[in-house]
Amino acid sequence: MIERRVLPDADKLAAEAAGMVIEAILARPRETVAIALAGGSTPRRLYDALARRRDELAPAMRRVHWFVGDERLVAPDSPDSNGAMIRRHLTEPLCAPAENVHLVDTRGRSADDAAACYESDLRAFAEGDGRADPRPLFDVVLLGLGEDGHTASLFPGSPALDETARWAVGVEQAGLAPFVPRVTLTFAALASSRLTLILVAGSAKRPILGELASGRDLPASRIRSAGRLIWLLDRDAAGEAAAPSRAV
Ligand code: 6PG
């Protein structure tokens, strides 16, 4: 099921998304919960909104696992590192246990190697205690949208778009700065979710939302979810563009 919601501005969008993430975590009070995280400025506002609600999340922190959805091959403390941003804005403010924070180890590795290691971590988690029943890999998948239609590090024209077996792959060429190799979850992994939120804010995203609405085949239009898929847009992004749900 694909839904679309328009919020008045980027802060309200972040607050709405934070409420949905918290609801998903609290809805399963005895279960391990897995959340895939996006990079980018729009998701970052959501992480700040979640960090502000730390007291509500505190009792659940031991059972929530956070997974980076894509990473750039840069040093772990680089300003371009999605992991560094996630640590600073989300997992450190929430005091998430270190073993529950699943980042891509980029040190001294090729993109393919880093992806293979990350996939092992994901598979170990998926097969581990408490997750023996068949269930989606992620309870929540959070994604952003690039002006070129990419999501995670799935760029238009990339061989990564055609991967159907692996959960994480290396991406040699980024379609957008920083132009460094990346690691990304694949469509197959991202689709294994109970709830997927695609967060889109700002008027710069309006043209690409128009392209999606007109049915252009772009990485973001290939996103699926085993559960609910919700496009959360702010008013600047939505503009007059028709619902992306026509195209995805
Ligand atoms: C990344 C992201 C990427 C991002 C979009 C949207 O590593 O850059 O994961 O997919 O979410 O580019 O980013 P903005 O919200 O900053 O536009």
Side-chain angles (χ1 to χ4, degrees), residues 88-142:
R88 191 170 329 113
H89 289 266
L90 183 72
T91 58
E92 285 173 5
L94 289 180
C95 299
E99 63 275 18
N100 290 13
V101 181
H102 304 260
L103 303 179
V104 177
D105 185 0
T106 56
R107 289 165 301 179
R109 296 181 193 278
S110 68
D112 283 345
D113 269 5
C117 287
Y118 189 49
E119 177 157 342
S120 306
D121 182 17
L122 266 172
R123 290 200 184 267
F125 173 79
E127 289 157 15
D129 287 345
R131 295 186 65 88
D133 297 340
R135 53 178 284 185
L137 179 54
F138 297 113
D139 294 275
V140 183
V141 168
L142 300 170

Side-chain angles (χ1 to χ4, degrees), residues 34-49:
I35 301 187
L37 303 165
S41 55
T42 317
R44 191 174 62 223
R45 279 178 197 261
L46 158 61
Y47 306 151
D48 290 334

